[in-house]
Each structure stands twice: as structure tokens, then as C-alpha cells.
Amino acid sequence: MFPGEDKKGEGQPVKSSGATEGGETGPGSGQSKSQQQGKGGKQQKSGKKQQKKQKQKQQQQQQQPQQQQQQQQQKAGAQPSGGKVDKQVSGKDEKPATPGGEVSEQPQKTKAELKAERRAVQEAQRAAKAQKQAEAGIKHKTSTDGTNRMKVAHDLQADDEKVQKKVAKKLARQQVPQRTTPQKKVGLFSHLHQYEKDVSLTQEISFGGSGSTPIHPAVIKLGVQYAKGIICGSNARCVALLLAFKKLIADYVTPPQKELCRDLDAKIKPNISFLTQCRPLSVSMGNAIKYLKLQITHTPPNMAEDEAKKNLIQSIDKFIQERIILAGVAISESYARTKINDGDVILTYACSSLVLKILKDAHNAGKKFRVVVVDSRPKFEGRECLRRLVKEGIRCSYVLISAISYVIKEVSKVFLGAHALLANGYVKSRVGSSMVAMMAQASNVPVLVCCETYKFCDRVQTDSFVSNELSDPDDLVPLDRESPDVLSDWRDVNSLHLLNLVYDVTPPHFVSMVITEVGKIPCTSVPVVLRVQNPEQ
């Protein structure tokens, strides 16, 4: 070789594996023996590496069919479990190296195959974890079969401290006063809130300044009326709620850089929370709030504020007129009046505004009948019903619920109002309605329930224990006698608890017919009416 040719040969691989370590150099190269030996060694090593890479590629191409067969057998026969599978997979992914640093000749897996193996391992680990939790009795949102469990409303978990702490934080964030904890409750109903007369609800509310309450004055007034029982009855409470929200919408001003459809919905939430602290929302109120929120969210963002507020107020008036007032007129004049004949003795319980309207319209139409008003403690709502019927000139009798078994023999029909109609056909109404319906069914007297369709509810309930309203137990104490009340010091007696339930549920086999504005239907048709009225659900 001539001087200068060794530099060109440095970058070329050595083809012969039997070359000497130093290689041959031409005379007069000017390089020392040691330098020549180092260059020759580097060339030899680089040539060996390339040869090994070529051999590995050939072996991988030959072993690919065998690899695929082994993977199929592993997937079919082996079921990974727990943390042991992680070690096996990680051992397969990492190629073990020899002490000299050379990689062992093991088949390589594609990215898709490795990803599939990791996914199988993760699913096996999740299944094992869920099984351990199920064996230990740990509650979780999603069960092992993938079905979602129903969440329990926070107002039905009054005995759960964690849930109540979350509710307290939410009320504090909304600047809504919280009701004080009741002193004594019946153990069977400890999961329900007991609504006693509480003055502290409005003591901490301030108007004006930086710490002013976000609750509208009309809503505060309405909440106090709810708590004191001044406004009662499903229709009256719903109408009063919508009228208060009309004032709230009229006084609302959209802040800068915000949209009415989003900000107004957020402004209504603390007002609803305050009303819930005063008294639980009725089913009719809940349906009206859903309707109002739907109208707010469907308001176009580019609509002018005055026009949007005007449309919302008109939608509230439309709901009151069509779903409550005109629905009552249709029930009375089109359907219920035809069920009242001359000489009938009609029994009614408590005071339902819709039943009162039906009886008045039938009397004004010239029907001759008599009414038996059944009443019970502690509210004695039947007295107001009796007063209004006598004022219209209708013949009436008045008895307490304890005497119903004596008067049911002369009754020809029973007319009852309803707080709500549930999806399974049960009727939720004033406590005592179920007893009246049971006595009528035992005496073969038809029971007609009069109810507007906006009170229909998709909730299912078969008893009065899971969901109900606990009113103030002190209402049971006064007996209207000259002697002092024997229960005046009931809170001091450890073994004595008072229970004042507001509603009960009546099974559908006690009810002969439900009269609504859409016609006379059985109790079991509630889901059909809900599906027709709300097709998007």
C-alpha cells in the first residue's frame, strides 16, 4: 500500500475474518506500530458487529412464524392475574444481555402485540381488585358486571356525616344559612331531615354590602311562609314558587362578559337551596324548576337581555295557565263532573284544591249530593275544606279519621287529591289517604284520585319510610284542652320520641281510577304519560 491509502481504508469494513490484528501497512507510512495495531482492531470489531446484526435479522425472519404460534397458544391457555403477570411481561419485553454486553438472540415483539399484552394484564388486575373489594364489602360506584348503581340523594342521607359535611360546604359556598340539627328523631326515620320551626334561618341573612346574600327577597319571604305553613298544598306552593322566580328574573341583570343562559341558572341555585332548607321541595315544585331551567338553557346567547327575560316570564305564565289552571278546569268540567250523580254521598279527605273545585262546579251545575269531610290531626285541613263547601251551600258532614269505618257504609264514591303519582302507580298524598282508600276498597266503594299530569314523577316508591317529609313534632303536643298538655315536656323524656309524618303512599290496587286533564286512566299509565310528555327522555 502506498502512503495515504490507509486513511481511506479506515472507514471500510474488513471482509476477511482471518486478518491479523495489526493489518499490513506500506513502507514509509510514517505511523508507529502501536497506532497501526489500534486502527486494525477497530476495523475488525466494527466488522464483527455488522456480521452479528445480519445473522440476527436472518434468525428473526426465520423465527417469526414460530413466534406467532407461541403467542396464540399463550393467549388461549394462559390467564394472567395480579402482580405476577407484570414481572413475566416485563421479563419478556426486556432482552437479557450477556456479560460481554451482547444481546441474546430472543425473538422481538411488535408494538401492537406488547400493547395487547399490557392491556390484558391491566384488565386482569382491575378484575382482581374489584373482586377483592366485593369480598371485603367495599361500596363502589360501578359494579363488577359494569352496571351503574343508583346514587342516593343527599336529602335521604341525613344520618351520614360525610354527606352532611359536603352539603354544609356547598351551602357555605352559596352563602345559604343551614338549618340546625334536630334534637330527637325516631330511629327508623333517622335518614330523613326533620323540619322544626327554626328562627336562625333568616337571622344571619344580610342585605347590601360586600357580604350580602345572593338570595332574592321574594324567595326569602316565600321560604318563611313555607316553613310556617302559611302556604301549603302542592298547587299553591308551585304557583307561589313560580311567581317568586318571576320577580327574580325581572330584577336580574346580566354581568359583563357573561351570558344570561349560564349566569341566571347559577343565580337560581342558591335560592332553591334556601327553599329546601325551609321545607323540602314538592314533586310539583321540582317539575316546575326543571321546566324553568330548560327554558333558561334554551335561551339563545345572542338574544337581547330584555327580550330573553320577557320570554322567560311568558313561559312561566304559560306553565301556570296551561299545566295548573286549565288542567284543573279540564279535569273538573270534562271528566270528574260526569262521575257525580244526584243523590251521591261523596267522601273526601283533608283539603285538596282540585277536589274542592270539582265539588263546587258539580254543585253549580245543579247536581244534588252530600259530602262527608274526613279530617285528622295535627293540621286539621278538613276544617278549611268544610268551611268553603258550606259557604257554597253544599250539605256536609264532618268526622275524624278514626270514625271512617262507621261512615264508609253510606258513601257511594271517594274523591282524593294527590301530592304526586309515582312511576309504579303508587299515589303519594297527605298522610291518612292510604287508610281512607283501604277502608273504601274493603267496602267496595270506588276511589277516584284527581291529579294534574305535571305532578307525575318518574320516581318509584312502595312505602312511606324510604322517602318522606318529617314535620315539626311539636305540632302533635297541643290538644286544645283546658288541662295542660301532657306532652309539653316530651323532649326531657329519654324514652319518648314523637313522629309527625306528612305523606303516605297508596298502592294502585286501592285506586279505581285517576282523573287527569288527558283523560281517565289507571295508575299504571303514569310511565306512558311521562314518555309522551317528555319524548326526549
Side-chain angles (χ1 to χ4, degrees):
M1 295 178 66
F2 294 96
E5 289 182 355
D6 55 344
K7 293 182 180 178
K8 295 179 182 179
E10 283 178 7
Q12 298 175 357
V14 179
K15 295 182 180 179
S16 175
S17 61
T20 58
E21 290 181 3
E24 294 181 358
T25 57
S29 61
Q31 290 182 345
S32 64
K33 251 183 184 183
S34 61
Q35 290 176 347
Q36 292 173 359
Q37 289 175 359
K39 291 179 181 178
K42 289 180 181 178
Q43 292 172 359
Q44 187 177 3
K45 287 181 180 178
S46 62
K48 286 182 179 180
K49 288 182 180 178
Q50 289 185 359
Q51 288 177 357
K52 287 180 180 178
K53 288 181 180 178
Q54 291 177 359
K55 287 181 181 180
Q56 287 177 1
K57 287 181 180 179
Q58 292 175 0
Q59 290 175 356
Q60 287 175 5
Q61 291 175 359
Q62 293 174 0
Q63 293 177 357
Q64 273 183 358
Q66 299 176 0
Q67 235 179 11
Q68 292 176 357
Q69 290 178 0
Q70 290 176 0
Q71 288 174 2
Q72 290 176 358
Q73 291 174 1
Q74 288 176 358
K75 290 180 181 178
Q79 294 182 353
S81 61
K84 294 180 180 179
V85 183
D86 292 341
K87 295 181 181 178
Q88 294 174 2
V89 175
S90 63
K92 289 179 182 178
D93 294 342
E94 297 176 1
K95 294 182 179 179
T98 60
E102 297 179 357
V103 181
S104 62
E105 297 179 356
Q106 282 191 356
Q108 292 182 351
K109 297 181 180 180
T110 61
K111 290 184 178 180
E113 292 170 349
L114 294 173
K115 188 176 180 181
E117 287 185 0
R118 286 195 297 268
R119 187 177 298 165
V121 171
Q122 291 173 354
E123 290 177 357
Q125 289 175 346
R126 288 196 192 101
K129 185 178 179 181
Q131 187 176 3
K132 289 180 181 178
Q133 288 181 347
E135 291 174 356
I138 301 174
K139 295 180 180 179
H140 46 85
K141 293 182 181 178
T142 307
S143 58
T144 54
D145 57 353
T147 57
N148 293 326
R149 297 184 178 181
M150 294 294 293
K151 293 182 179 179
V152 181
H154 62 81
D155 56 345
L156 300 180
Q157 302 182 66
D159 53 348
D160 194 333
E161 294 182 359
K162 292 183 180 180
V163 175
Q164 295 309 309
K165 284 181 181 179
K166 291 181 182 179
V167 173
K169 289 181 181 179
K170 178 184 175 182
L171 294 176
R173 189 169 58 252
Q174 294 179 344
Q175 299 181 9
V176 176
Q178 188 176 8
R179 177 176 288 275
T180 57
T181 306
Q183 296 179 0
K184 296 180 70 175
K185 287 201 302 184
V186 179
L188 186 61
F189 296 90
S190 60
H191 62 285
L192 300 176
H193 291 280
Q194 185 166 284
Y195 286 78
E196 302 175 359
K197 293 182 175 62
D198 194 355
V199 187
S200 62
L201 280 174
T202 55
Q203 282 182 346
E204 300 178 359
I205 296 178
S206 61
F207 298 96
S210 58
S212 60
T213 178
I215 308 171
H216 195 272
V219 176
I220 295 176
K221 178 182 177 182
L222 179 64
V224 174
Q225 291 174 335
Y226 282 166
K228 291 186 176 181
I230 298 174
I231 298 178
C232 59
S234 297
N235 288 340
R237 291 172 65 190
C238 184
V239 171
L241 172 74
L242 293 174
L243 294 178
F245 279 160
K246 278 180 61 176
K247 295 179 182 178
L248 186 150
I249 293 171
D251 297 338
Y252 170 79
V253 177
T254 307
Q257 307 298 328
K258 290 190 177 182
E259 297 177 356
L260 180 141
C261 57
R262 296 179 179 273
D263 188 66
L264 181 58
D265 185 42
K267 291 289 192 299
I268 286 179
K269 288 180 180 178
N271 292 272
I272 297 173
S273 299
F274 175 76
L275 292 176
T276 307
Q277 290 297 306
C278 295
R279 187 181 174 184
L281 300 179
S282 65
V283 173
S284 58
M285 294 168 64
N287 291 337
I289 291 172
K290 287 180 184 178
Y291 170 82
L292 179 59
K293 285 188 174 182
L294 185 65
Q295 299 301 316
I296 292 173
T297 54
H298 286 178
T299 302
N302 55 354
M303 183 180 288
E305 180 179 340
D306 293 339
E307 185 179 356
K309 290 162 63 175
K310 182 180 178 182
N311 290 344
L312 290 175
I313 291 174
Q314 288 178 352
S315 64
I316 291 175
D317 292 335
K318 180 181 178 182
F319 186 90
I320 295 174
Q321 185 69 20
E322 293 182 359
R323 303 299 300 275
I324 302 177
I325 297 176
L326 292 181
V329 172
I331 291 171
S332 175
E333 296 182 356
S334 302
Y335 304 107
R337 187 191 298 178
T338 60
K339 295 296 179 182
I340 300 177
N341 302 318
D342 291 337
D344 278 346
V345 178
I346 298 172
L347 184 143
T348 183
Y349 176 69
C351 183
S352 170
S353 59
L354 183 57
V355 174
L356 271 173
K357 178 176 178 55
I358 292 170
L359 296 177
K360 288 180 181 178
D361 291 345
H363 176 73
N364 294 334
K367 300 287 183 70
K368 303 296 181 181
F369 58 91
R370 185 165 62 89
V371 178
V372 177
V373 180
V374 181
D375 204 0
S376 66
R377 296 184 70 243
K379 297 195 174 188
F380 291 110
E381 294 174 315
R383 295 178 180 177
E384 179 64 21
C385 177
L386 181 67
R387 185 184 65 81
R388 295 184 184 183
L389 291 176
V390 171
K391 187 178 179 180
E392 293 291 327
I394 301 174
R395 294 175 56 201
C396 297
S397 302
Y398 178 81
V399 297
L400 293 178
I401 196 170
S402 55
I404 188 174
S405 59
Y406 298 97
V407 298
I408 197 68
K409 299 172 185 177
E410 60 185 45
V411 172
S412 56
K413 294 180 183 69
V414 175
F415 277 77
L416 296 177
H419 173 79
L421 248 71
L422 307 180
N424 58 342
Y426 280 67
V427 180
K428 189 174 183 180
S429 188
R430 181 68 64 190
V431 62
S433 300
S434 180
M435 185 186 299
V436 173
M438 181 183 65
M439 292 299 302
Q441 196 263 350
S443 303
N444 294 324
V445 178
V447 178
L448 309 178
V449 174
C450 306
C451 179
E452 302 89 343
T453 55
Y454 87 101
K455 295 181 183 177
F456 285 13
C457 178
D458 56 359
R459 192 171 62 210
V460 173
Q461 189 174 338
T462 57
D463 56 57
S464 305
F465 304 100
V466 176
S467 177
N468 209 322
E469 180 181 344
L470 302 183
S471 189
D472 190 359
D474 288 327
D475 293 341
L476 299 174
V477 173
L479 299 176
D480 297 332
R481 296 177 180 174
E482 296 180 358
S483 59
D485 297 325
V486 295
L487 297 176
S488 57
D489 57 347
W490 70 275
R491 294 182 185 275
D492 299 331
V493 183
N494 295 328
S495 59
L496 180 60
H497 296 76
L498 299 186
L499 177 64
N500 187 6
L501 284 177
V502 179
Y503 302 111
D504 65 9
V505 289
T506 303
H509 59 270
F510 287 167
V511 180
S512 307
M513 181 188 300
V514 178
I515 304 177
T516 68
E517 69 268 24
V518 297
K520 296 173 280 190
I521 61 175
C523 294
T524 52
S525 297
V526 173
V528 179
V529 176
L530 289 174
R531 189 163 57 249
V532 171
Q533 290 184 344
N534 305 310
E536 68 276 1
Q537 296 180 1

